[in-house]
Amino acid sequence: MSQPTQPPLLLADVQKRVAQELERIAPVIDELGERFEAAGEQLALVGGPVRDAMLGRLQNDLDFTTSAHPDVTERLLKGWADAVWDLGRDFGTIGARKGEWQIEITTYRSEVYDATSRKPDVEYGDSLVGDLRRRDFTVNSMALTVPGRVLEDPYGGILDLAGRVLRTPGTPEESFSDDPLRMMRAARFSAQLGFEVAPEVVAAMTAMADRITIISAERVRDELVKLVLAPSPRRGLALLVETGLASYVLPELPALALERDEHHRHKDVYEHTLIVLEQSIELEQQRGHAPDFVSRFAALMHDVGKPRTRKFQDDGTVTFHHHDVVGAKLTRKRMKELRFSNDEIDAVADLVELHLRFHGYGAGEWTDSAVRRYVRDAGDQLERLHILTRADCTTRNKRKADRLRRTYDDLEARIARLSEEEELASIRPDLDGVQIMEILGIGPGRDVGAAYRFLLELRLDEGPKSPDEARDALLAWWAARD
């Protein structure tokens, strides 16, 4: 699926949106500007909030830049803000809250990476224009001085915003040398805003892709999460692959572009994956869910085991046996390297490993026992598994697609019926450990665990039993062990 090109913005519309947003935030920005002005300091709303005001999407987070050093900023905020805190004094940033507004104020600064550094050297700057030049893209290099509300746009950000283009204030090589993470931010903003990335920026990203390796895994992870949660992640992911950045931050993705054999005996796995991601986002919205990283990343990673498992058969077919298991292992490895939490790693890897399970359902031949196991194995990822499994159908054969959809509808209906009857979400044996020890006359140990597992399997196979039925089954099993 190609990404739709959005029409340019009209400057008149931009000006109208800004006027509306400024009226909404006027009490905060004007009061704050007056406090700094009275102290002989400069203050300007800057970056994302200015850009988002022009797009009509300003949130409650306000970023400012100032001539004041952090100690002065902190003093000026106290007595005015509801709360003040140190967000990063070494980087010149003080945070505050005023009513519903979250505020960050950072001293004019410049920051430069050397060839091997993972952290910037920070120096305070002495002008607003100099501060704006160090920013990543021209659409983020605009400022609104307060309290006078004068727009400062020395690098043509408003024209680039109107044209929906991402450019850098200086040369892209200079910008990406200062902070290589900006290359990923280009992909992220493209996905978030639907903007095109200027050709010279793409060229610099391609030439300097290996520079991303000096950035910490945590910062790379955070940008990747924002990209995946964007309205059009395909746009940003395709840019990462095109420029070679993906080979460093998510190498499993470009690896999906398998070399096609001359007879085209298998799908383009890379293209299939991007379609599955898009379809999972559509289902996420249709089913009333907020943007969900775990669900989307599982869609992105669900077939990463295919390159390792591809086999050409004598009859001309291609197989990918066990790519679900291999893919889950690769997913765990990649997410650990990107410093994701254990809970996130477990959730995504489990979904990757389970994504083929439904295809054993056939036309509904599963027993109730098999349905219970499907629910048990999915655990709290069941709804995400529903979305991933449905999204994984990318066939152009309408009849086949309709059949798969109806079959999964049937499975979900059976799960709902059994859940209502048996509380599937909390399946456990009909007897607990204390009851098992009491009935068998034994103390804590391995035998209790074995008995518990037996009763759980019995519950999955045959559904819930009465206490007497469970007791009789347990005693029969115990007697048969001797």
Side-chain angles (χ1 to χ4, degrees), residues 38-249:
E41 302 288 357
Q42 299 171 337
L43 183 72
L45 187 69
V46 71
V50 178
R51 177 200 71 218
D52 288 346
M54 293 179 176
L55 294 171
R57 60 196 292 271
L58 182 61
Q59 306 299 315
N60 286 358
D61 295 333
L62 302 179
D63 296 335
F64 294 87
T65 187
T66 182
S67 59
H69 283 203
D71 290 346
V72 176
T73 295
E74 188 173 42
R75 175 172 56 81
L76 292 172
L77 286 170
K78 286 181 175 177
W80 176 81
D82 299 328
V84 179
W85 56 87
D86 184 344
L87 269 174
R89 191 177 299 270
D90 291 343
F91 291 87
T93 304
I94 301 296
R97 176 176 54 81
K98 176 72 170 179
E100 62 183 314
W101 307 100
Q102 298 292 325
I103 296 167
E104 290 186 16
I105 303 179
T106 301
T107 305
Y108 297 157
R109 70 189 190 194
S110 59
E111 56 188 36
V112 180
Y113 283 82
D114 65 29
T116 59
S117 174
R118 287 178 179 269
K119 295 182 180 179
D121 295 323
V122 177
E123 295 181 0
Y124 294 144
D126 56 11
S127 73
L128 176 58
V129 171
D131 182 87
L132 294 178
R133 182 178 174 82
R134 76 167 184 82
R135 295 176 181 269
D136 50 11
F137 302 105
T138 60
V139 296
N140 295 330
S141 298
M142 297 180 283
L144 191 76
T145 59
V146 291
R149 300 194 198 174
V150 176
L151 178 67
E152 298 288 342
D153 182 20
Y155 303 107
I158 194 168
L159 292 177
D160 284 340
L161 183 138
R164 298 184 182 274
V165 177
L166 288 174
R167 301 182 197 278
T168 53
T171 68
E173 290 80 7
E174 176 187 41
S175 180
F176 299 154
S177 290
D178 286 349
D179 185 352
L181 191 68
R182 291 173 178 169
M183 295 186 287
M184 287 199 66
R185 286 168 64 85
R188 190 248 291 184
F189 282 127
S190 177
Q192 283 183 333
L193 304 175
F195 285 15
E196 295 296 325
V197 180
E200 68 274 15
V201 176
V202 174
M205 291 169 67
T206 304
M208 302 175 68
D210 65 337
R211 185 114 168 95
I212 198 68
T213 57
I214 74 166
I215 301 297
S216 70
E218 291 83 359
R219 292 185 73 206
V220 170
R221 174 202 64 207
D222 291 346
E223 280 300 321
L224 183 62
V225 169
K226 291 173 184 176
L227 191 162
V228 171
L229 288 174
S232 302
R234 178 191 179 115
R235 181 190 295 273
L237 292 166
L239 183 60
L240 293 183
V241 172
E242 175 190 348
T243 57
L245 276 162
S247 296
Y248 297 97
V249 302

Side-chain angles (χ1 to χ4, degrees), residues 124-402:
Y124 294 144
D126 56 11
S127 73
L128 176 58
V129 171
D131 182 87
L132 294 178
R133 182 178 174 82
R134 76 167 184 82
R135 295 176 181 269
D136 50 11
F137 302 105
T138 60
V139 296
N140 295 330
S141 298
M142 297 180 283
L144 191 76
T145 59
V146 291
R149 300 194 198 174
V150 176
L151 178 67
E152 298 288 342
D153 182 20
Y155 303 107
I158 194 168
L159 292 177
D160 284 340
L161 183 138
R164 298 184 182 274
V165 177
L166 288 174
R167 301 182 197 278
T168 53
T171 68
E173 290 80 7
E174 176 187 41
S175 180
F176 299 154
S177 290
D178 286 349
D179 185 352
L181 191 68
R182 291 173 178 169
M183 295 186 287
M184 287 199 66
R185 286 168 64 85
R188 190 248 291 184
F189 282 127
S190 177
Q192 283 183 333
L193 304 175
F195 285 15
E196 295 296 325
V197 180
E200 68 274 15
V201 176
V202 174
M205 291 169 67
T206 304
M208 302 175 68
D210 65 337
R211 185 114 168 95
I212 198 68
T213 57
I214 74 166
I215 301 297
S216 70
E218 291 83 359
R219 292 185 73 206
V220 170
R221 174 202 64 207
D222 291 346
E223 280 300 321
L224 183 62
V225 169
K226 291 173 184 176
L227 191 162
V228 171
L229 288 174
S232 302
R234 178 191 179 115
R235 181 190 295 273
L237 292 166
L239 183 60
L240 293 183
V241 172
E242 175 190 348
T243 57
L245 276 162
S247 296
Y248 297 97
V249 302
L250 194 65
E252 293 79 10
L253 184 59
L256 292 174
L258 298 173
E259 181 180 349
R260 300 287 292 276
D261 64 284
E262 68 274 19
H263 301 296
H264 300 280
R265 290 174 292 190
H266 62 83
K267 291 180 181 179
D268 181 334
V269 184
Y270 172 70
E271 177 65 19
H272 164 76
T273 295
L274 295 180
I275 293 173
V276 171
L277 173 59
E278 290 179 319
Q279 293 185 165
S280 71
I281 293 171
E282 291 173 6
L283 286 165
E284 177 184 270
Q285 295 167 348
Q286 291 170 11
R287 295 168 79 104
H289 302 306
D292 179 14
F293 175 77
V294 167
S295 181
R296 295 184 182 196
F297 202 60
L300 191 62
M301 301 295 284
H302 80 284
D303 273 349
V304 296
K306 281 190 170 180
R308 295 271 187 97
T309 59
R310 182 173 62 160
K311 293 283 189 295
F312 292 103
Q313 305 300 307
D314 292 339
D315 63 0
T317 59
V318 181
T319 64
F320 301 96
H321 293 314
H322 308 301
H323 78 267
D324 47 346
V325 177
V326 173
K329 291 179 180 178
L330 291 173
T331 297
R332 286 186 181 279
K333 181 175 183 293
R334 178 57 48 204
M335 292 185 75
K336 284 180 180 177
E337 291 183 359
L338 288 169
R339 305 291 193 272
F340 281 96
S341 70
N342 289 335
D343 287 345
E344 289 171 309
I345 294 171
D346 288 343
V348 176
D350 287 350
L351 288 167
V352 171
E353 188 164 352
L354 289 169
H355 82 274
L356 291 181
R357 184 73 63 87
F358 162 70
H359 295 285
Y361 189 70
E365 290 89 353
W366 276 3
T367 62
D368 284 353
S369 171
V371 174
R372 293 186 192 102
R373 280 181 165 77
Y374 188 78
V375 173
R376 180 196 64 178
D377 292 345
D380 58 4
Q381 302 305 312
L382 182 61
E383 173 63 9
R384 287 168 169 155
L385 183 58
H386 290 333
I387 290 173
L388 176 58
T389 304
R390 288 180 179 276
D392 196 23
C393 174
T394 61
T395 178
R396 295 179 181 178
N397 184 323
K398 187 176 184 303
R399 182 178 299 177
K400 182 179 179 182
D402 287 344

Side-chain angles (χ1 to χ4, degrees), residues 474-482:
L474 176 62
L475 288 171
W477 169 82
W478 185 252
R481 282 167 49 99
D482 297 334

Side-chain angles (χ1 to χ4, degrees), residues 1-26:
M1 297 182 184
S2 61
Q3 295 294 315
T5 300
Q6 300 186 55
L9 297 169
L10 298 176
L11 288 179
D13 290 339
V14 170
Q15 292 168 341
K16 181 179 179 181
R17 288 170 182 164
V18 170
Q20 291 172 338
E21 292 296 331
L22 287 182
E23 284 305 309
R24 188 167 72 91
I25 65 176

